[in-house]
Amino acid sequence: MSILIDKDTKLVVSGLTGREGTFHGLNNKRYGTDLVAGVTPGKGGQDVEGVPVFDTVHAAVAEAGADTSMIFVPPRFAADAILEAADAGVDLVICITEGIPAHDMLRVYTHLRRGATRLVGPNCPGVLSPGKANVGIIPAHFFSEGNVGLVSRSGTLTYQIGNELAQRGFGNSTIVGIGGDPIVGSSFIDVIALFEQDPETELIVMCGEIGGDEEERTAEYIAEHVTKPVIGYIAGFTAPPGKTMGHAGAIVSGSVGTAQAKAEALEAKGVRVGRNPTEVAEAAVEALGAKV
């Protein structure tokens, strides 16, 4: 099994006719994802290498059967694109766009809490279930099918930790990039709860970073609700004080939200935290009793 996406996923890409949307949408299709439609207002009736383009997500759902949306539109249009997909009835929206104003995301977050559509992102690399489907920009050739669930706030570190695990013979059930913005659709807790229910996932790796209290709240959740081993990593142990970080959510207030504080919160609840990606992989080997 996997979480969020699989071989039955039917993908519609908002912004498929744009340069990035075309490149990554077709790359996902070549991986095996069932890309059934694109959406660009005013370009309905066209196609992108055989993939039909519609004017609205509603039409893509009604005529092509889309159930998952990937957002690849400029920041000023992204919030409305997310809401359009949700109102059209898709189950999952994965938003790759970065730079969406926080006020726009507050509107989206509030709206989605009233409905059934799940949002991953924005400002994220997407979701990959190796061997099944890829929705986003994750370089799928690094990863293979396996029993490790990986959830991360950082796209690049997702790839690095995944590569460290792969070198030790581990594959992944699903990789989820939740994004590094202050307001995101899915949290660590949301994704870890899905991994806990997934019979294929035997080990969970979470990659956090400095700023906010997401990791601290997740530590409390793991202690109370998760039976599978969890290994953590926090990016930013060597971040210089006062340095502006790349992710909007990486805001440290005094000693709150530092890498050290987050690691201590997780370790206090029984989560082993590696100080670098190599230590994470070594901890995974020990947790699963695998041979290096």
Side-chain angles (χ1 to χ4, degrees):
M1 291 182 66
S2 57
I3 66 168
L4 298 174
I5 62 173
D6 56 26
K7 290 182 177 178
D8 294 325
T9 294
K10 295 187 180 304
L11 178 65
V12 55
V13 178
S14 290
L16 183 65
T17 58
R19 183 182 63 181
E20 298 297 323
T22 297
F23 178 82
H24 291 290
L26 294 179
N27 194 41
N28 291 169
K29 183 175 184 290
R30 284 189 288 272
Y31 186 75
T33 309
D34 190 6
L35 175 61
V36 299
V39 169
T40 301
K43 295 188 177 181
Q46 300 182 15
D47 73 88
V48 175
E49 295 193 13
V51 179
V53 175
F54 298 90
D55 287 321
T56 66
V57 181
H58 281 83
V61 171
E63 299 183 37
D67 59 21
T68 298
S69 166
M70 179 165 68
I71 306 298
F72 247 118
V73 302
R76 64 184 184 278
F77 303 128
D80 285 341
I82 295 170
L83 294 176
E84 181 194 8
D87 290 343
V90 302
D91 301 321
L92 173 67
V93 179
I94 298 173
C95 183
I96 311 300
T97 304
E98 64 176 302
I100 302 176
H103 190 269
D104 286 359
M105 279 308 302
L106 278 174
R107 177 166 57 93
V108 169
Y109 185 87
T110 302
H111 183 87
L112 294 187
R113 299 294 288 183
R114 304 190 191 105
T117 300
R118 182 188 300 271
L119 171 66
V120 174
N123 190 15
C124 79
V127 180
L128 167 67
S129 290
K132 301 181 180 70
N134 187 17
V135 178
I137 62 175
I138 296 175
H141 59 278
F142 279 123
F143 306 99
S144 60
E145 293 181 70
N147 58 359
V148 178
L150 175 58
V151 56
S152 174
R153 288 172 67 184
S154 166
T156 305
L157 285 169
T158 301
Y159 315 151
Q160 185 173 355
I161 290 175
N163 188 46
E164 292 275 0
L165 293 169
Q167 290 181 20
R168 286 160 176 78
F170 291 108
N172 297 100
S173 53
T174 300
I175 299 161
V176 183
I178 58 175
D181 279 2
I183 302 170
V184 294
S186 294
S187 65
F188 277 126
I189 292 174
D190 295 330
V191 177
I192 288 174
L194 294 177
F195 280 137
E196 172 70 11
Q197 297 167 9
D198 176 30
E200 184 179 356
T201 300
E202 298 179 20
L203 172 74
I204 301 168
V205 175
M206 59 173 287
C207 176
E209 61 185 15
I210 60 175
D213 64 351
E214 175 81 12
E215 291 80 0
E216 288 86 342
R217 289 187 289 110
T218 303
E220 297 289 341
Y221 179 84
I222 290 171
E224 295 180 7
H225 301 285
V226 179
T227 62
K228 298 177 181 178
V230 181
I231 295 171
Y233 173 68
I234 308 297
F237 276 105
T238 58
K243 176 71 174 179
T244 301
M245 308 302 289
H247 278 175
I251 300 172
V252 175
S253 300
S255 61
V256 178
T258 64
Q260 186 62 37
K262 291 175 181 293
E264 290 174 356
L266 288 163
E267 289 169 341
K269 300 300 181 182
V271 176
R272 184 172 173 180
V273 180
R275 262 49 181 180
N276 55 59
T278 300
E279 284 190 10
V280 171
E282 292 170 350
V285 171
E286 295 178 14
L288 290 178
K291 295 181 180 179
V292 180

